[in-house]
Amino acid sequence: MVGEDKAELRGLLEILPPVEFCCIYGSKLHPNNKDETSMTDHIIGVADPRQWHSENLNLNKDHYASWLVHLGGARMINDIANDIGVGVHFNPFVSCNKKMVKYGVVRMHDFIQDILRWDRFYLSGRLQKPVNILVDKLDIKNVNTVNLKAATSAALLLLPSKFTEEDLYAKICSLSYMGDLRMLFAEDKNKVKKIVRGQFYLFEEMYKPFLEEYEANNLLRFSSAGDKQVNIFQDCGLSAASTLVSSLPSSIRSDMAMKLGDKRIVDDSGRVRQVVIGSKEQAAECMKRLVRRRVMFSSTRQAAAGLLTAGAVHGVRYVANKMCKAWKSRV
């Protein structure tokens, strides 16, 4: 991010109550994004969302839909986020330093659980892509390495024996869009390709440690190709696939064990240590279905909560902007 954008983000944080985590994500990280009308997206983590929203309503009630301010307040904001959505409340179309921003507020405990376990696969998916962390009081950057390694393993399960580095990052990027209903009508169909190509070196920096680890363990082999492209070869044998599955989050492994006929090896505490698989293809298909279901469930719930809490004008405006981008990508 350039200096102007960082200053813009600091300006937003200066008008909000204290936060424990803040990062920006999305199209504003794309170095070639010249769209001044697009919003800068933030994830904000706080210890107690209800208390935080109560303080923020006193400071910035214009950030919220008017009916929430007058009828529900902080309690309703938090209840809708948890009971209808997936624990995140978004305030879109907030004016700050003559720019439009959107910020989503989540409880830190829920945020960390999603990063580690993929229970909802909502914010964890966003942190599998490049983000710009501005505040990190609980060292989420380090916690997120578990998420990044799991995403690498999931992508490798879904890829063939030979692929490119760009293919790998595209597969990682696509994980959080599998099953997202918005991709059918309200998202750019070239979104994944644009994200990866526009931020390739950021992806490379994020995932290099895990690729080196897998190369050292003889799971991957690299060879240079033309145009600075790198071909990657992976071991598709049963042992290698089992190693990849072992790096998936515990909740995914538990569900895989159930789907595959309860074939699992547990530790002394009863947690699934290893899922017994029949083949790489079987494991990949099972994991794909589980991730798709979680994404579909979470994205649908969050969309419903967002339309409710954004207010009629902002809700229609947000959907219209998304559909306009989707239409342009298809013509």
Side-chain angles (χ1 to χ4, degrees):
M1 293 294 290
V2 297
E4 179 183 357
D5 291 321
K6 287 190 174 182
E8 172 188 322
L9 288 172
R10 291 192 184 98
L12 174 65
L13 290 173
E14 286 173 1
I15 65 173
L16 297 177
V19 305
E20 294 188 330
F21 177 84
C22 178
C23 74
I24 61 170
Y25 67 95
S27 60
K28 279 294 186 178
L29 283 171
H30 196 301
N32 297 322
N33 184 4
K34 308 299 182 182
D35 185 2
E36 294 297 325
T37 65
S38 62
M39 290 184 289
T40 303
D41 298 319
H42 313 65
I43 298 170
I44 288 177
V46 300
D48 184 344
R50 182 173 171 180
Q51 177 62 34
W52 192 90
H53 286 302
S54 179
E55 295 176 19
N56 198 36
L57 282 166
N58 290 329
L59 296 172
N60 302 295
K61 68 179 181 180
D62 58 314
H63 291 186
Y64 299 84
S66 59
W67 76 272
L68 280 175
V69 174
H70 298 297
L71 298 179
R75 179 177 179 177
M76 181 172 286
I77 292 168
N78 196 51
D79 286 348
I80 291 174
N82 290 315
D83 298 340
I84 298 178
V86 290
V88 190
H89 171 82
F90 281 99
N91 282 331
F93 298 105
V94 173
S95 179
C96 181
N97 293 338
K98 299 181 181 180
K99 303 286 186 179
M100 280 296 176
V101 303
K102 177 181 76 174
Y103 61 92
V105 181
V106 63
R107 187 168 71 124
M108 285 302 302
H109 177 269
D110 298 338
F111 185 31
I112 292 171
Q113 285 300 299
D114 194 39
I115 289 172
L116 295 177
R117 291 176 48 82
W118 293 6
D119 285 333
R120 291 166 171 169
F121 208 82
Y122 189 74
L123 296 179
S124 53
R126 282 158 174 75
L127 265 69
Q128 290 168 0
K129 307 173 189 68
V131 298
N132 190 337
I133 297 176
L134 194 64
V135 177
D136 191 8
K137 296 181 180 178
L138 297 182
D139 197 14
I140 296 301
K141 182 177 181 179
N142 184 53
V143 174
N144 194 49
T145 58
V146 176
N147 182 30
L148 299 183
K149 184 174 181 179
T152 305
S153 297
L156 289 173
L157 280 171
L158 296 171
L159 285 165
S161 59
K162 178 185 176 182
F163 50 91
T164 66
E165 200 172 356
E166 185 175 318
D167 292 334
L168 173 63
Y169 301 146
K171 188 62 69 176
I172 290 172
C173 187
S174 70
L175 292 173
S176 59
Y177 296 123
M178 293 192 304
D180 191 335
L181 297 180
R182 295 174 303 171
M183 295 300 292
L184 298 177
F185 67 93
E187 289 287 2
D188 184 343
K189 70 181 182 67
N190 299 312
K191 185 168 187 172
V192 169
K193 184 184 297 184
K194 289 179 178 178
I195 290 173
V196 172
R197 290 185 176 176
Q199 304 176 48
F200 184 86
Y201 295 108
L202 296 177
F203 275 99
E204 194 172 39
E205 182 180 348
M206 288 174 68
Y207 287 98
K208 182 179 180 180
F210 312 108
L211 298 183
E212 289 178 343
E213 176 186 339
Y214 284 169
E215 181 184 24
N217 292 331
N218 297 316
L219 297 177
L220 298 179
R221 180 169 57 85
F222 298 84
S223 69
S224 299
D227 300 325
K228 299 182 181 180
Q229 184 63 269
V230 174
N231 286 326
I232 304 176
F233 300 84
Q234 70 166 321
D235 181 350
C236 291
L238 190 58
S239 177
S242 295
T243 299
L244 295 177
V245 170
S246 70
S247 294
L248 298 176
S250 59
S251 66
I252 295 289
R253 284 186 281 118
S254 293
D255 286 352
M256 287 181 68
M258 295 289 289
K259 295 292 184 182
L260 296 175
D262 206 32
K263 299 174 183 176
R264 55 185 172 177
I265 299 173
V266 300
D267 59 21
D268 293 338
S269 64
R271 293 178 298 184
V272 175
R273 181 166 59 87
Q274 182 179 344
V275 180
V276 180
I277 60 173
S279 67
K280 177 177 182 287
E281 292 75 21
Q282 178 199 49
E285 185 59 32
C286 182
M287 180 211 64
K288 184 178 180 180
R289 287 198 299 267
L290 290 171
V291 170
R292 180 186 288 124
R293 185 175 301 135
R294 292 185 189 202
V295 172
M296 182 180 295
F297 183 72
S298 295
S299 62
T300 302
R301 284 185 58 176
Q302 192 59 41
L307 287 174
L308 182 62
T309 57
V313 175
H314 282 167
V316 171
R317 183 181 177 188
Y318 183 72
V319 172
N321 284 352
K322 286 286 189 180
M323 293 189 72
C324 182
K325 289 182 180 179
W327 174 255
K328 287 180 179 178
S329 73
R330 287 166 167 79
V331 297

